[in-house]
């Protein structure tokens, strides 16, 4: 058979995986396809990828057609450092205000909605936008009569990935720059799972040995990449124009496994997504390896 088509998130949060694959030459056992989370979600659901990291919300919405790979994910248990709400007013003042949502990550959309509606008690007008959009304006920059029009300026914006990392590292004066991973854990007590690794169910059933091999390669690559995180951070620092110490802290902050605590966090997120109307019901989770997480059933 052909090499399995495996997605790779083209953000810093997956750099340890890629670094580990390069170190261990594991990438020659698969065809790696880089992309932003939203693109990888579409590709695996369209059958253009066999295995891929997926935004948690898109996995939950399509769980019937997918199987989770054990011990692989992207989560935080406190600060995440790469998902930020940047606002010109306190979050409790965003009721009715226009909030820009990045088009690259569906999970971050839902996380922001849960926090804004359930913990900050506001219902903003969410505006999808492409990365790299312009600045923010305070509510006084537009009249109430124009508040919901397309020409009205944004009062807050959701950032993910490298832009969020930069914003949280050096917050812009006069803004509220909030780490949403930290807020989630502070309010719920759960870790937050942003992405899982999944295989198409039909592919996993047809090629279980290949899926098991890819899982093993990815797990070993993750471990090797994290062991070499200081060197990886030093290599990436000049390319990203960020301090190596910040990148090393970022890699150590993220949780790259998936165990019982991550499962509890994923279920808590699913509950919240149902409450805000972004998930129709709680799905049954299936695994490529039976008994991978004892509490999954």
């Amino acid at each position: 058979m052909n090499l399995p088509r495996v997605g790779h998130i083209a953000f810093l949060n997956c750099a340890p995986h890629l670094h580990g694959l390069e170190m261990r030459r594991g990438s020659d056992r698969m065809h790696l396809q880089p992309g932003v989370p939203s693109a990888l979600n579409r590709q695996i659901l369209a059958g253009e990828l066999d295995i891929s990291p997926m935004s948690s919300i898109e996995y939950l919405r399509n769980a019937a057609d997918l199987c989770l790979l054990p011990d692989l994910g992207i989560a935080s248990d406190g600060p995440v450092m790469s998902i930020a709400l940047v606002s010109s007013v306190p979050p409790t003042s965003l009721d009715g205000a226009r909030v820009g949502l990045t088009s690259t990550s569906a999970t971050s959309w839902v996380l922001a909605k849960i926090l804004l509606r359930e913990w900050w008690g506001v219902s903003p007008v969410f505006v999808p936008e492409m990365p790299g959009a312009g600045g923010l304006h305070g509510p006084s920059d537009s009249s109430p009569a124009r508040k919901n029009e397309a020409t009205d300026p944004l009062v807050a914006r959701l950032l993910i990935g490298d832009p969020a990392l930069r914003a949280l590292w050096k917050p812009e004066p006069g803004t509220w720059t909030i780490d949403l991973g930290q807020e989630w854990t502070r309010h719920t007590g759960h870790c937050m799972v942003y992405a899982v690794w999944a295989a198409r169910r039909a592919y996993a059933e047809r090629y279980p040995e290949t899926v098991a091999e890819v899982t093993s390669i990815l797990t070993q690559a993750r471990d090797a990449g994290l062991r070499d995180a200081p060197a990886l951070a030093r290599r990436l620092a000049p390319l990203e124009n960020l301090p190596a110490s910040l990148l090393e802290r970022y890699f150590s902050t993220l949780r790259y496994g998936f165990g019982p605590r991550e499962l509890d966090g994923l279920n808590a997120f699913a509950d919240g997504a149902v409450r805000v109307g972004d998930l129709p019901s709680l799905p049954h989770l299936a695994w490529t390896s039976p008994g991978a997480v004892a509490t999954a059933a």
Side-chain angles (χ1 to χ4, degrees):
M1 59 169 281
N2 295 328
L3 291 177
R5 301 165 298 174
V6 178
H8 165 63
I9 297 176
F11 286 158
L12 275 173
N13 59 5
C14 268
H17 275 109
L18 185 60
H19 183 55
L21 286 171
E22 292 170 345
M23 292 170 61
R24 301 181 64 86
R25 300 183 181 275
S27 58
D28 61 357
R29 301 293 298 157
M30 61 191 77
H31 177 58
L32 280 177
Q33 297 182 215
V36 298
S38 56
L40 297 181
N41 294 338
R42 289 192 299 270
Q43 287 175 302
I44 191 169
L45 294 174
E48 298 168 5
L49 290 172
D50 304 310
I51 298 169
S52 183
M54 291 190 71
S55 297
S56 294
I57 189 63
E58 288 301 331
Y59 164 74
L60 291 167
R61 289 168 177 162
N62 297 278
D65 299 319
L66 300 161
C67 292
L68 287 168
L69 273 61
D71 196 27
L72 288 166
I74 301 176
S76 67
D77 202 350
V80 63
M81 298 177 62
S82 57
I83 300 179
L85 181 71
V86 180
S87 176
S88 60
V89 298
T92 52
S93 299
L94 286 172
D95 198 41
R98 287 166 57 85
V99 176
L101 296 180
T102 173
S103 61
T104 56
S105 173
T107 294
S108 300
W109 280 41
V110 179
L111 174 60
K113 289 180 182 180
I114 295 170
L115 289 171
L116 285 162
R117 292 178 180 174
E118 297 195 347
W119 282 284
W120 289 314
V122 295
S123 295
V125 177
F126 296 110
V127 182
E129 61 172 357
M130 295 300 294
L136 301 175
H137 300 270
S140 61
D141 294 318
S142 59
S143 67
R146 294 174 54 85
K147 185 170 287 188
N148 292 335
E149 293 186 10
T151 56
D152 204 44
L154 296 177
V155 178
R157 175 172 284 119
L158 177 68
L159 301 179
I160 73 162
D162 304 358
L165 187 63
R166 296 176 189 280
L168 287 163
W169 173 46
K170 287 187 175 180
E172 184 179 344
T175 65
W176 280 256
T177 304
I178 302 164
D179 186 313
L180 294 192
Q182 185 172 28
E183 290 300 308
W184 169 266
T185 300
R186 185 165 71 88
H187 287 294
T188 69
H190 291 286
C191 73
M192 176 62 204
V193 179
Y194 308 98
V196 297
W197 281 83
R200 289 188 294 112
R201 186 185 293 264
Y203 184 86
E205 291 174 350
R206 185 174 182 182
Y207 302 110
E209 295 85 2
T210 301
V211 173
E213 181 186 22
V214 171
T215 302
S216 177
I217 291 171
L218 291 172
T219 303
Q220 293 177 47
R222 173 202 63 199
D223 295 344
L226 290 174
R227 284 194 299 269
D228 202 42
L232 174 62
R234 289 192 298 271
R235 190 185 81 183
L236 292 177
L239 301 176
E240 299 291 337
N241 196 26
L242 291 169
S245 58
L246 178 70
L247 295 179
E248 186 175 352
R249 179 161 60 91
Y250 178 51
F251 296 142
S252 65
T253 293
L254 292 176
R255 298 166 68 99
Y256 289 100
F258 195 103
R261 180 153 175 79
E262 286 77 19
L263 179 62
D264 288 344
L266 182 62
N267 284 329
F269 174 69
D271 285 337
V274 171
R275 291 194 302 271
V276 299
D278 278 281
L279 186 66
S281 61
L282 297 177
H284 173 74
L285 309 186
W287 301 82
T288 59
S289 175
V293 176
T295 56

